Amino acid sequence: MYIISLKYIIMNKATRKTVIAGNWKMNKTPDEAVALIEAIKAEIAGKDTSGCDIIAGVPFVDLAVVAKAIEGSPIKLAAQNVHWAASGAFTGEISADMLKAVGAEYVIIGHSERRQYFGETDETVNKRTAAALAAGLKVILCVGELKEERLSGITEEIVAMQVKLDLAGVSKEDMANVIIAYEPVWAIGTGLTATAEQAEEVCAAIRGVIAKLYDETVAEATTIQYGGSMNAGNAAELLSMKNVDGGLIGGASLKAPDFAVIIGAAQ
Ligand code: PGA
Protein backbone atom coordinates (compact mmCIF):
# COMPACT_ATOMS: atom_id res chain seq x y z
CA MET A 1 0.00 0.00 0.00
CA TYR A 2 2.78 2.36 1.02
CA ILE A 3 4.82 1.50 -2.06
CA ILE A 4 1.84 1.96 -4.35
CA SER A 5 0.96 5.39 -2.97
CA LEU A 6 4.61 6.50 -3.00
CA LYS A 7 4.85 5.50 -6.66
CA TYR A 8 1.71 7.43 -7.38
CA ILE A 9 3.14 10.51 -5.70
CA ILE A 10 6.37 10.27 -7.73
CA MET A 11 4.38 9.92 -10.92
CA ASN A 12 2.34 12.93 -10.08
CA LYS A 13 5.06 15.43 -9.29
CA ALA A 14 4.98 16.54 -12.91
CA THR A 15 1.27 17.25 -12.72
CA ARG A 16 1.51 19.43 -9.62
CA LYS A 17 2.02 23.12 -10.02
CA THR A 18 5.52 24.31 -9.14
CA VAL A 19 5.29 27.68 -7.45
CA ILE A 20 8.19 30.07 -6.92
CA ALA A 21 7.09 32.82 -4.55
CA GLY A 22 9.09 35.76 -3.30
CA ASN A 23 8.39 36.96 0.22
CA TRP A 24 9.68 40.50 0.27
CA LYS A 25 8.87 40.91 3.99
CA MET A 26 9.16 44.53 5.18
CA ASN A 27 11.23 45.72 2.25
CA LYS A 28 10.68 48.15 -0.65
CA THR A 29 8.76 51.39 -0.86
CA PRO A 30 6.24 51.53 -3.73
CA ASP A 31 8.80 53.08 -6.10
CA GLU A 32 11.42 50.51 -5.14
CA ALA A 33 8.85 47.75 -5.51
CA VAL A 34 8.05 48.76 -9.07
CA ALA A 35 11.77 48.93 -9.87
CA LEU A 36 12.27 45.39 -8.53
CA ILE A 37 9.32 44.06 -10.52
CA GLU A 38 10.68 45.72 -13.67
CA ALA A 39 14.07 44.13 -12.99
CA ILE A 40 12.51 40.69 -12.53
CA LYS A 41 10.48 41.16 -15.73
CA ALA A 42 13.68 42.08 -17.60
CA GLU A 43 15.45 39.00 -16.21
CA ILE A 44 12.74 36.59 -17.34
CA ALA A 45 11.90 38.30 -20.64
CA GLY A 46 12.17 35.90 -23.54
CA LYS A 47 12.68 32.91 -21.25
CA ASP A 48 10.24 30.05 -20.92
CA THR A 49 8.83 30.31 -17.43
CA SER A 50 5.82 28.10 -18.09
CA GLY A 51 7.20 25.43 -15.75
CA CYS A 52 6.23 27.36 -12.66
CA ASP A 53 3.93 30.00 -11.27
CA ILE A 54 5.78 33.11 -10.14
CA ILE A 55 4.51 35.14 -7.21
CA ALA A 56 5.68 38.34 -5.57
CA GLY A 57 4.61 38.68 -1.93
CA VAL A 58 4.85 42.38 -1.21
CA PRO A 59 4.07 44.79 1.65
CA PHE A 60 0.48 46.10 1.79
CA VAL A 61 1.43 49.58 0.59
CA ASP A 62 3.07 48.13 -2.53
CA LEU A 63 0.15 45.97 -3.64
CA ALA A 64 -1.61 48.51 -5.84
CA VAL A 65 1.47 49.68 -7.74
CA VAL A 66 2.82 46.16 -8.13
CA ALA A 67 -0.58 44.97 -9.42
CA LYS A 68 -0.15 47.49 -12.23
CA ALA A 69 3.51 46.73 -12.81
CA ILE A 70 2.91 42.99 -13.30
CA GLU A 71 0.17 43.46 -15.90
CA GLY A 72 0.97 41.41 -19.00
CA SER A 73 3.72 39.48 -17.20
CA PRO A 74 3.56 35.98 -15.69
CA ILE A 75 4.10 37.38 -12.18
CA LYS A 76 1.22 37.06 -9.73
CA LEU A 77 0.61 39.09 -6.61
CA ALA A 78 0.50 38.07 -2.96
CA ALA A 79 -0.03 39.96 0.29
CA GLN A 80 1.79 38.87 3.44
CA ASN A 81 -1.09 38.72 5.92
CA VAL A 82 -4.86 39.16 6.16
CA HIS A 83 -7.34 39.67 8.95
CA TRP A 84 -10.23 37.24 9.42
CA ALA A 85 -13.00 39.81 9.83
CA ALA A 86 -14.68 41.38 6.83
CA SER A 87 -14.45 44.88 8.30
CA GLY A 88 -14.70 46.68 11.60
CA ALA A 89 -12.77 48.05 14.54
CA PHE A 90 -9.42 46.31 13.94
CA THR A 91 -6.93 49.15 13.79
CA GLY A 92 -3.98 48.39 11.56
CA GLU A 93 -5.49 45.29 9.97
CA ILE A 94 -6.45 44.55 6.36
CA SER A 95 -9.36 42.40 5.17
CA ALA A 96 -9.41 39.82 2.41
CA ASP A 97 -11.78 41.93 0.31
CA MET A 98 -9.40 44.89 0.59
CA LEU A 99 -6.55 42.72 -0.68
CA LYS A 100 -8.63 41.49 -3.58
CA ALA A 101 -9.70 45.02 -4.43
CA VAL A 102 -6.09 46.10 -4.93
CA GLY A 103 -5.28 43.09 -7.08
CA ALA A 104 -3.87 40.47 -4.72
CA GLU A 105 -4.51 36.90 -5.84
CA TYR A 106 -2.64 35.16 -3.02
CA VAL A 107 -1.91 35.79 0.63
CA ILE A 108 0.89 34.37 2.77
CA ILE A 109 -0.52 33.25 6.12
CA GLY A 110 1.17 32.03 9.28
CA HIS A 111 4.72 32.97 8.38
CA SER A 112 7.03 32.12 11.26
CA GLU A 113 7.93 35.78 11.72
CA ARG A 114 4.25 36.49 12.38
CA ARG A 115 4.09 33.54 14.75
CA GLN A 116 7.32 34.57 16.53
CA TYR A 117 6.97 38.34 16.73
CA PHE A 118 3.27 39.11 16.37
CA GLY A 119 1.50 36.52 18.47
CA GLU A 120 0.16 34.49 15.58
CA THR A 121 -1.20 31.13 16.72
CA ASP A 122 -2.58 28.14 14.87
CA GLU A 123 -6.02 29.38 15.86
CA THR A 124 -5.55 32.79 14.24
CA VAL A 125 -3.80 31.23 11.26
CA ASN A 126 -6.84 29.02 10.80
CA LYS A 127 -9.23 31.97 11.02
CA ARG A 128 -7.21 33.99 8.52
CA THR A 129 -7.04 30.99 6.17
CA ALA A 130 -10.80 30.47 6.30
CA ALA A 131 -11.49 34.16 5.64
CA ALA A 132 -9.03 34.37 2.76
CA LEU A 133 -10.44 31.28 1.05
CA ALA A 134 -14.01 32.45 1.55
CA ALA A 135 -13.11 35.72 -0.16
CA GLY A 136 -11.58 33.89 -3.11
CA LEU A 137 -7.92 34.46 -2.28
CA LYS A 138 -5.38 31.66 -2.66
CA VAL A 139 -3.43 30.89 0.47
CA ILE A 140 0.25 30.16 1.01
CA LEU A 141 0.13 28.56 4.44
CA CYS A 142 3.45 28.48 6.28
CA VAL A 143 4.41 25.80 8.77
CA GLY A 144 7.73 24.74 10.24
CA GLU A 145 9.56 23.64 13.33
CA LEU A 146 11.83 25.55 15.68
CA LYS A 147 15.45 24.51 16.07
CA GLU A 148 14.78 22.99 19.52
CA GLU A 149 11.89 21.00 18.07
CA ARG A 150 14.11 19.56 15.34
CA LEU A 151 16.81 18.75 17.87
CA SER A 152 14.19 17.00 20.01
CA GLY A 153 13.20 14.84 17.06
CA ILE A 154 9.61 16.10 16.93
CA THR A 155 9.70 17.96 13.61
CA GLU A 156 7.11 15.81 11.87
CA GLU A 157 4.74 15.88 14.84
CA ILE A 158 4.98 19.67 15.13
CA VAL A 159 4.44 20.25 11.43
CA ALA A 160 1.58 17.73 11.30
CA MET A 161 -0.10 19.46 14.21
CA GLN A 162 0.24 22.86 12.53
CA VAL A 163 -1.16 21.54 9.25
CA LYS A 164 -4.13 19.94 11.00
CA LEU A 165 -4.95 22.95 13.18
CA ASP A 166 -4.35 25.52 10.43
CA LEU A 167 -6.54 23.65 7.93
CA ALA A 168 -9.36 22.82 10.35
CA GLY A 169 -12.66 23.29 8.53
CA VAL A 170 -11.05 23.85 5.13
CA SER A 171 -12.99 21.83 2.58
CA LYS A 172 -11.54 19.43 0.06
CA GLU A 173 -12.62 21.79 -2.73
CA ASP A 174 -10.89 24.73 -1.08
CA MET A 175 -7.64 22.77 -0.92
CA ALA A 176 -7.28 23.53 -4.64
CA ASN A 177 -6.51 27.09 -3.47
CA VAL A 178 -4.05 26.19 -0.74
CA ILE A 179 -0.28 25.96 -1.08
CA ILE A 180 1.69 24.72 1.90
CA ALA A 181 5.11 26.26 2.53
CA TYR A 182 7.35 24.16 4.73
CA GLU A 183 9.75 26.60 6.33
CA PRO A 184 11.97 25.31 9.12
CA VAL A 185 12.26 28.32 11.39
CA TRP A 186 15.97 27.73 11.98
CA ALA A 187 16.61 28.06 8.25
CA ILE A 188 14.81 31.36 7.68
CA GLY A 189 17.11 34.28 7.02
CA THR A 190 19.96 32.44 8.70
CA GLY A 191 21.82 31.14 5.66
CA LEU A 192 21.27 27.66 7.13
CA THR A 193 19.35 25.74 4.49
CA ALA A 194 17.71 22.43 5.20
CA THR A 195 19.42 19.75 3.17
CA ALA A 196 17.45 18.57 0.17
CA GLU A 197 16.84 15.32 2.07
CA GLN A 198 15.52 17.15 5.14
CA ALA A 199 13.22 19.28 2.99
CA GLU A 200 12.01 16.21 1.11
CA GLU A 201 11.38 14.25 4.28
CA VAL A 202 9.15 16.90 5.84
CA CYS A 203 7.38 17.86 2.60
CA ALA A 204 6.58 14.16 2.09
CA ALA A 205 5.31 13.93 5.66
CA ILE A 206 3.07 16.95 5.07
CA ARG A 207 1.69 15.29 1.95
CA GLY A 208 0.93 12.25 4.07
CA VAL A 209 -0.95 14.40 6.58
CA ILE A 210 -3.01 15.95 3.78
CA ALA A 211 -3.79 12.49 2.42
CA LYS A 212 -5.11 11.51 5.85
CA LEU A 213 -7.08 14.73 6.30
CA TYR A 214 -8.55 14.64 2.79
CA ASP A 215 -7.50 11.90 0.39
CA GLU A 216 -4.67 10.83 -1.92
CA THR A 217 -5.97 12.89 -4.81
CA VAL A 218 -5.93 16.08 -2.80
CA ALA A 219 -2.50 15.22 -1.39
CA GLU A 220 -1.08 14.58 -4.83
CA ALA A 221 -2.48 17.81 -6.21
CA THR A 222 -1.30 20.08 -3.38
CA THR A 223 1.75 22.21 -4.01
CA ILE A 224 4.19 21.99 -1.11
CA GLN A 225 7.00 24.52 -1.17
CA TYR A 226 10.22 24.63 0.77
CA GLY A 227 11.39 27.93 2.26
CA GLY A 228 14.40 28.92 4.31
CA SER A 229 17.54 30.37 2.76
CA MET A 230 16.68 29.02 -0.68
CA ASN A 231 18.96 30.79 -3.10
CA ALA A 232 20.39 30.75 -6.62
CA GLY A 233 22.99 28.18 -5.58
CA ASN A 234 20.84 25.61 -3.81
CA ALA A 235 17.44 25.95 -5.52
CA ALA A 236 17.99 23.35 -8.24
CA GLU A 237 18.86 20.61 -5.77
CA LEU A 238 15.98 21.41 -3.42
CA LEU A 239 13.50 21.63 -6.31
CA SER A 240 14.66 18.31 -7.73
CA MET A 241 13.19 16.50 -4.73
CA LYS A 242 10.00 14.52 -5.38
CA ASN A 243 7.84 16.29 -2.84
CA VAL A 244 9.31 19.80 -3.06
CA ASP A 245 7.04 21.67 -5.46
CA GLY A 246 8.53 25.11 -5.29
CA GLY A 247 10.00 27.66 -2.97
CA LEU A 248 9.06 30.54 -0.72
CA ILE A 249 12.04 32.81 -0.96
CA GLY A 250 12.90 35.73 1.26
CA GLY A 251 16.33 37.33 0.89
CA ALA A 252 17.07 36.00 -2.59
CA SER A 253 13.74 37.28 -3.92
CA LEU A 254 14.94 40.85 -3.42
CA LYS A 255 17.69 40.37 -6.02
CA ALA A 256 16.20 40.07 -9.49
CA PRO A 257 19.07 38.04 -11.01
CA ASP A 258 19.03 35.54 -8.14
CA PHE A 259 15.24 35.24 -8.19
CA ALA A 260 15.45 34.63 -11.96
CA VAL A 261 17.98 31.84 -11.44
CA ILE A 262 15.58 30.18 -8.99
CA ILE A 263 12.72 30.54 -11.49
CA GLY A 264 15.03 28.97 -14.09
CA ALA A 265 15.80 26.09 -11.75
CA ALA A 266 12.08 25.37 -11.52
CA GLN A 267 11.63 24.83 -15.26
P1 PGA B 1 14.76 33.49 3.53
O1 PGA B 1 13.24 33.67 3.97
O2 PGA B 1 14.74 32.96 2.14
O3 PGA B 1 15.36 34.86 3.62
O4 PGA B 1 15.37 32.52 4.48
C1 PGA B 1 12.28 32.71 3.61
C2 PGA B 1 10.96 33.13 4.19
O5 PGA B 1 10.93 33.66 5.29
O6 PGA B 1 9.91 32.94 3.55
Side-chain angles (χ1 to χ4, degrees), residues 2 5-14 16-18 180-182 196-208 210 216 219-226 237-247:
Y2 176 71
S5 50
L6 193 65
K7 220 166 118 192
Y8 203 39
I9 286 169
I10 295 167
M11 277 163 41
N12 280 272
K13 176 166 166 100
R16 280 195 294 274
K17 194 151 273 192
T18 299
I180 310 278
Y182 165 56
E197 290 71 26
Q198 286 171 327
E200 167 64 17
E201 194 172 42
V202 184
C203 289
I206 291 172
R207 201 174 306 287
I210 295 170
E216 284 283 336
E220 283 151 21
T222 301
T223 294
I224 303 178
Q225 299 172 312
Y226 167 79
E237 194 190 352
L238 286 159
L239 295 171
S240 74
M241 303 310 283
K242 290 188 295 286
N243 284 287
V244 178
D245 310 316

Side-chain angles (χ1 to χ4, degrees), residues 44-52 54 74 263-264 266-267:
I44 60 177
K47 293 183 187 145
D48 180 13
T49 59
S50 60
C52 69
I54 304 167
I263 292 166
Q267 299 311 306

Side-chain angles (χ1 to χ4, degrees), residues 23 25 111-113 142 183 187-191 227-230 248-253:
N23 173 12
K25 310 193 180 186
H111 190 276
S112 70
E113 285 148 18
C142 303
E183 299 208 306
I188 294 176
T190 57
S229 300
M230 187 185 275
L248 182 57
I249 299 116
S253 74

Side-chain angles (χ1 to χ4, degrees), residues 4 32 68 84 145 163 165 188 191 194 214 225 249-250 254 264:
I4 291 168
E32 291 166 351
K68 235 183 149 30
W84 53 85
E145 81 287 3
V163 169
L165 292 171
I188 294 176
Y214 299 94
Q225 299 172 312
I249 299 116
L254 297 170

Side-chain angles (χ1 to χ4, degrees), residues 8-231:
Y8 203 39
I9 286 169
I10 295 167
M11 277 163 41
N12 280 272
K13 176 166 166 100
T15 64
R16 280 195 294 274
K17 194 151 273 192
T18 299
V19 180
I20 300 297
N23 173 12
W24 293 9
K25 310 193 180 186
M26 195 173 72
N27 292 290
K28 305 295 174 187
T29 63
D31 284 352
E32 291 166 351
V34 171
L36 178 53
I37 290 292
E38 293 304 335
I40 295 169
K41 279 161 62 177
E43 287 284 345
I44 60 177
K47 293 183 187 145
D48 180 13
T49 59
S50 60
C52 69
D53 280 356
I54 304 167
I55 301 174
V58 311
F60 289 138
V61 295
D62 298 338
L63 286 167
V65 290
V66 170
K68 235 183 149 30
I70 60 176
E71 273 174 19
S73 86
I75 305 169
K76 297 156 190 274
L77 183 59
Q80 299 174 9
N81 192 17
V82 63
H83 195 260
W84 53 85
S87 63
F90 301 103
T91 302
E93 294 292 325
I94 305 282
S95 75
D97 283 343
M98 290 171 180
L99 295 181
K100 285 200 76 179
V102 289
E105 186 180 344
Y106 292 82
V107 59
I108 299 168
I109 296 180
H111 190 276
S112 70
E113 285 148 18
R114 299 232 43 98
R115 295 179 190 253
Q116 272 186 298
Y117 308 136
F118 303 102
E120 195 80 68
T121 64
D122 287 309
E123 188 189 353
T124 56
V125 169
N126 177 247
K127 287 164 83 169
R128 293 180 206 277
T129 300
L133 291 170
L137 286 167
K138 295 173 186 153
V139 170
I140 300 177
L141 172 63
C142 303
V143 297
E145 81 287 3
L146 303 170
K147 188 174 177 191
E148 311 83 74
E149 292 165 342
R150 174 161 286 271
L151 293 176
S152 307
I154 56 170
T155 296
E156 289 185 19
E157 285 93 332
I158 291 291
V159 170
M161 185 186 71
Q162 291 173 335
V163 169
K164 287 178 189 169
L165 292 171
D166 298 350
L167 290 177
V170 172
S171 72
K172 199 165 146 175
E173 292 67 39
D174 272 340
M175 281 303 290
N177 292 319
V178 174
I179 293 169
I180 310 278
Y182 165 56
E183 299 208 306
V185 179
W186 49 270
I188 294 176
T190 57
L192 288 174
T193 316
T195 63
E197 290 71 26
Q198 286 171 327
E200 167 64 17
E201 194 172 42
V202 184
C203 289
I206 291 172
R207 201 174 306 287
V209 173
I210 295 170
K212 273 200 207 134
L213 284 177
Y214 299 94
D215 58 32
E216 284 283 336
T217 313
V218 172
E220 283 151 21
T222 301
T223 294
I224 303 178
Q225 299 172 312
Y226 167 79
S229 300
M230 187 185 275
N231 58 42

